[in-house]
Amino acid sequence: MGELIDLVILGSTGSIGIQALEIVEENPDRFRVVGLASGSKNIQLLAEQARKFSVPVVGTTGRRDELISLLGNTHVIDGPLAASEIASITCGVVLNGITGSVGLGPTLAALAVGNKVALANKESLVAGGDLVMAYGSERIIPVDSEHSALYQCFLSGKSSEVNKVILTASGGPFRERKDFSDITVADALNHPTWAMGPVVTVNSATLMNKGLEIIEAHYLFNLPYSKISAVIHPQSVVHSMVEFRDGSTIAQASPPNMKGPIAYAISGANRIPKATLPVDWSKAHSWDFSPIDSAMFPAIELARRCGELGGGLPAILNAANEVAVDAFLAGKISFMQIIEIVEASVQKLGGNSPVTIRELSDVSAIENDSRIIANQLVQEHK
Ligand code: MG
């Protein structure tokens, strides 16, 4: 039995945060929650979590008075920097389960004070990969299932022996669909294998999620884009693979359940008993793999191009995508217009993007420009 790990959980009321707290509840001898942060949308749940796990410090983006009246003595921090403040509490592991590039500041804040980060917020690496990796990769354990798989597969060889990595993609709900013109929000939110938050689910339907994950893998594992590929695997059991130079491919497999990668990351790359159910070999089943149709799903190649050009382009791509996905979820644009708007935003802004990102404010400025352009395009498309 290891020692008790002090955990800070950012985005505690979201899908990742809720599952992390279930793992904590099942393993009270392994984890103690020392800080929670979430947006102010679900203040009731945040208060409930803080009470249940006797959390001493809680952060939220607003509704401070309400939270204090629910919590009494607990130390409450509010405002846009609350998550970053909570992330810089010295602790065992900070789980960043925030959705969107607003998670970048808290990731940097956690790393700056020497904390380990269980990183579920892929946008930290997409929008600010150079800034995050300036701290090195040693203290970052990915939570994204594909990157958790790669992290585990990398342990079977030396990085100099790696030919390439292969990210698996479920293909989302529209893998076999021939016509995207009448897709509804409900269709896009109906993911065949994974239960996730709405933004990631829509990103999985456009396959932008896989595009962002290629950029994430580039930074996290210091790999050139030519060594990162993706393949459709509808069952979502093989979470990703590493091909070594001797022709061996190492894969990590488990039925789709985010508790596996969350538990692995928050325990500091240790294996918690029964974190998830293993593959059931007593039943017949098959794993399929097929190439991605990039004509139907242009998001992956768009993301790859932005990644290869580097600088501010991945941040532009991601911010425009966040705007477009919100607009789609709000019924303002069609499914197909999501990637059209992202591509047009990248084209409009790409030439002006600075070559290097030096600090967080560089990222914020680029993202701000991208959001303005993307919002204009949403208005025009309505
Ligand atoms: Mg993933």
Side-chain angles (χ1 to χ4, degrees), residues 122 144-146 209-210 213:
K122 67 189 75 181
D144 212 348
S145 59
E146 295 79 358
N209 185 51
K210 211 50 52 183
E213 288 179 351

Side-chain angles (χ1 to χ4, degrees), residues 34-57:
V34 297
L36 289 176
S38 86
S40 57
K41 234 185 287 172
N42 203 343
I43 217 94
Q44 216 66 31
L45 177 58
L46 177 60
E48 220 174 274
Q49 293 174 335
R51 269 201 309 267
K52 183 168 179 182
F53 294 93
S54 310
V55 183
V57 190

Side-chain angles (χ1 to χ4, degrees), residues 319-365:
N321 186 61
E322 287 183 13
V323 169
V325 169
D326 278 351
F328 169 68
L329 288 171
K332 293 180 189 165
I333 59 168
S334 72
F335 181 78
M336 288 182 78
Q337 286 169 338
I338 299 173
I339 302 304
E340 285 170 24
I341 286 174
V342 177
E343 180 142 35
S345 306
V346 166
Q347 248 153 25
K348 278 201 172 177
L349 279 167
N352 305 327
S353 150
V355 181
T356 46
I357 303 253
R358 285 175 211 85
E359 50 192 315
L360 186 55
S361 60
D362 294 337
V363 178
S364 316

Side-chain angles (χ1 to χ4, degrees), residues 47 63 69 98 104 109 120 126 133 138 160 185 190 210 269 287 313 323 341 356-357 366 376:
R63 298 172 71 185
S69 72
I98 295 171
L104 171 59
V126 173
M133 297 321 292
E138 295 75 23
S160 60
V185 171
N190 186 21
K210 211 50 52 183
W287 296 347
L313 272 166
V323 169
I341 286 174
T356 46
I357 303 253
I366 290 167
Q376 280 168 2

